Amino acid sequence: MEAAVDAVVAAGVEPFPTVDKCDASGRASHAVAADLEGTLLRSRSAFPYYALVAFEAGGVPRLLLLLLLYPLAAALRFLAPPSSSCAAERVLVFAATAGARVRDIESAARAVLPRFYAADVHTGAWRAFSACARRRVVLTSTPRVMAEPFLRECLGADDVAGTELATWRGRATGFVDARRGGVLVGRRKAEALREIFADEHGDAPDVGLGDSRSDYAFMSMCKEAYIVPRSPVDPLPMDQLPRPVIFHDGRLVRRPTPLAALLVVLWFPAGFALACLRIAAGALLPMPLVYYAFWALGVRVLVRGAPPPPRAERATGRRGVLFACSHRTLLDPIFLSAALGRPVAAVTYSLSRLSEFLSPIRTVRLTRDRRSDAAMIRELLEEGDLAICPEGTTCREPFLLRFSALFAELTDEVVPVAMENRMGMFHGTTARGWKGMDPFYFFMNPSPAYVVTFLSKLPAELTCAGGKTSHEVANYIQRLIAATLSYECTSLTRKDKYRALAGNDGVVAPRS
């Protein structure tokens, strides 16, 4: 088979049909082997994924190093024969991982890369790959540690063979492990596939999927093989994946192509200075002026709905209003206050000391002890209005996490607030990094925006005083905010998020 393929290639004829010719019906008992870049993924360049690892593991300096070495990698790839790109891959591996802690690379692979991989899945290749349910194998020149979490958890791969990194004392050396085959390209993919299927007594995969001549070696081992053409195709909608990506981490919003990565590096110093100016304006100016200062500094604050009047304009002796907000960043209560034109205290579950110091509003830490937290919230409502985010943590995707019902037991003066933000370059939240940098990253965006939508105050018949349970009230408010934002309600919690992204429950032990 391999000799026949070589003869057809020498004649200048494509030896395999295109993937659209693959009949995906009746393949539940079939096994499939597929390449990653250019096959399961639309993009043939792995640079964006190396850039994500570089930025998460080493920040701007490492991303700059990757950009400086990228022209060398591109030149080596252009000069290399079609069946090999070892030298180019080694350059990218060195730039992105040299000296980085292996656990940081693994963390980025688990929490950051899947969101970007999932947005680039090739529709035609996925149709054929997902139809084969007996065994799914992926072969890639990308380091296995980077691609494996996404392939196994989101695409349902059973086996992943990739380039192995050389390590020393918990850090990547920047080189590939020659003892384990070096860079997995060309015939090395065929050898890896042969090893994977050795337990099936020489049986070969039923379907092989690739996109270039470097894949022909392993494709020729398969009973059927299909090539993924270079023609543009829309990505697979992420909700059609076996496991959609709801939680993800990392600071970069957009896919870091070489041009986008260069813009990040060039903008970072100016963006940090601008963020300091914006934070100073929010912390030092009176709250009625913060709204206008933000607009003057390029931060858009859009207010929708009718906010309730200050307590002084309401009936005397009444308690404060509790604003139940959806949670996008730790800046939600600050932008709520800016929209109201007056400071509103906020309760938080975890906030860095730096963020507390810079905050222009009063923040009070909850203890996660239900009785003491309830007493604290009642006391704060006696003093004035209060903002609370019942989700307990942020979610970047259009989903709302489960609302805690505690707030519904403590007051009937509840105003739901739908919070929505827009960031073009950096995310203003993190589950793995230092939360003290969250406001800086949000304000480093060239033109960040917040949309604050005030909904009608909860009617008496829908409160606990009207006969509803606290869980019914919390679920109703969750559905109301979700409908306003066109989001989806979930039963996921803070623990689910932190277990997925950081491998813990998201609870920081108190200092003695």
Side-chain angles (χ1 to χ4, degrees):
M1 177 67 173
E2 192 170 337
V5 169
D6 292 338
V8 173
V9 172
V13 180
E14 177 58 58
F16 304 109
T18 56
V19 72
D20 58 288
K21 303 295 192 302
C22 177
D23 183 4
S25 60
R27 293 189 180 274
S29 60
H30 286 190
V32 61
D35 180 43
L36 182 59
E37 287 82 10
T39 303
L40 289 177
L41 302 181
R42 298 182 307 157
S43 173
R44 283 172 161 75
S45 172
F47 175 87
Y49 309 109
Y50 283 109
L52 289 164
V53 170
F55 189 81
E56 294 300 319
V60 172
R62 185 176 291 277
L63 183 58
L64 177 59
L65 174 64
L66 179 64
L67 281 168
L68 293 175
L69 292 180
Y70 176 68
L72 174 61
L76 291 173
R77 191 180 300 276
F78 177 77
L79 296 173
S83 62
S84 175
S85 57
C86 295
E89 207 72 33
R90 290 175 187 275
V91 170
L92 296 177
V93 167
F94 178 84
T97 67
R101 293 184 297 185
V102 174
R103 66 180 182 184
D104 290 341
I105 300 173
E106 293 172 341
S107 177
R110 181 181 65 249
V112 182
L113 297 186
R115 171 63 179 79
F116 293 90
Y117 277 133
D120 195 38
V121 175
H122 192 287
T123 306
W126 169 248
R127 180 181 60 85
F129 184 81
S130 61
C132 301
R134 179 168 67 87
R135 193 169 189 177
R136 297 169 181 166
V137 178
V138 181
L139 309 164
T140 175
S141 60
T142 296
R144 180 189 53 80
V145 68
M146 289 171 50
E148 188 169 32
F150 166 73
L151 294 172
R152 287 188 180 274
E153 296 174 15
C154 296
L155 296 192
D158 299 299
D159 300 278
V160 178
T163 301
E164 298 291 343
L165 299 179
T167 62
W168 184 72
R169 293 189 176 181
R171 290 184 179 271
T173 63
F175 302 103
V176 301
D177 193 341
R179 296 172 300 176
R180 301 172 71 179
V183 179
L184 200 74
V185 294
R187 297 189 181 279
R188 275 291 301 124
K189 287 185 178 179
E191 294 170 7
L193 184 61
R194 193 173 292 109
E195 293 173 6
I196 291 173
F197 276 82
D199 60 346
E200 299 199 7
H201 307 290
D203 191 17
D206 298 276
V207 178
L209 302 174
D211 68 284
S212 65
R213 290 189 179 184
S214 65
D215 298 327
Y216 288 176
F218 86 83
M219 292 171 68
S220 63
M221 295 172 53
C222 304
K223 298 174 183 177
E224 303 174 50
Y226 299 90
I227 199 78
V228 178
R230 293 178 178 267
S231 54
V233 62
D234 292 332
L236 181 77
M238 286 195 288
D239 58 3
Q240 294 185 20
L241 293 174
R243 182 180 176 182
V245 179
I246 295 178
F247 298 127
H248 58 93
D249 206 30
R251 292 297 191 182
L252 297 181
V253 172
R254 301 192 182 279
R255 178 184 176 86
T257 61
L259 178 58
L262 178 62
L263 291 176
V264 167
V265 171
L266 296 177
W267 171 255
F268 202 91
F272 185 77
L274 181 59
C276 292
L277 180 60
R278 289 167 170 173
I279 291 172
L284 301 177
L285 292 176
M287 190 56 68
L289 299 180
V290 169
Y291 175 89
Y292 303 100
F294 278 168
W295 272 92
L297 293 172
V299 182
R300 293 167 293 163
V301 185
L302 307 177
V303 182
R304 297 173 181 168
R311 191 160 102 165
E313 299 178 16
R314 302 196 294 266
T316 57
R318 296 195 53 183
R319 302 173 74 202
V321 168
L322 188 146
F323 294 98
C325 308
S326 55
H327 202 5
R328 307 311 286 178
T329 74
L330 60 82
L331 299 172
D332 294 335
I334 295 175
F335 280 93
L336 171 69
S337 299
L340 291 168
R342 63 180 187 273
V344 175
V347 293
T348 65
Y349 284 102
S350 61
L351 197 64
S352 70
R353 297 299 181 186
L354 178 61
S355 297
E356 284 183 328
F357 174 76
L358 296 174
S359 176
I361 62 174
R362 181 185 177 189
T363 58
V364 180
R365 288 175 178 256
L366 296 177
T367 63
R368 298 190 184 278
D369 178 77
R370 191 175 183 84
R371 181 175 299 178
S372 60
D373 288 343
M376 183 186 304
I377 292 174
R378 286 194 183 95
E379 182 179 343
L380 292 169
L381 286 171
E382 293 293 339
E383 300 174 6
D385 297 338
L386 181 66
I388 189 170
C389 297
E391 291 173 276
T393 189
T394 58
C395 181
R396 296 175 176 178
E397 294 299 306
F399 296 91
L400 290 184
L401 308 186
R402 189 180 71 193
F403 276 32
S404 169
L406 176 61
F407 73 94
E409 302 173 7
L410 306 178
T411 181
D412 300 323
E413 298 282 324
V414 180
V415 174
V417 182
M419 308 293 292
E420 188 178 11
N421 56 16
R422 301 167 188 167
M423 295 163 284
M425 187 174 285
F426 302 108
H427 283 296
T429 60
T430 184
R432 301 153 42 254
W434 181 37
K435 294 182 182 295
M437 287 299 295
D438 285 0
F440 290 91
Y441 272 103
F442 176 83
F443 283 115
M444 282 170 62
N445 286 286
S447 184
Y450 246 94
V451 181
V452 184
T453 304
F454 293 94
L455 306 178
S456 300
K457 191 179 85 168
L458 209 62
E461 62 271 17
L462 294 178
T463 65
C464 290
K468 300 293 184 180
T469 67
S470 59
H471 291 285
E472 289 175 330
V473 175
N475 291 340
Y476 172 77
I477 293 178
Q478 183 197 35
R479 292 194 300 269
L480 183 63
I481 294 177
T484 302
L485 297 174
S486 298
Y487 286 5
E488 183 178 336
C489 294
T490 75
S491 60
L492 299 171
T493 65
R494 174 189 176 92
K495 286 185 178 181
D496 295 319
K497 171 185 171 178
Y498 278 86
R499 284 172 181 166
L501 300 183
N504 56 60
D505 289 344
V507 178
V508 179
R511 295 181 180 179
S512 57

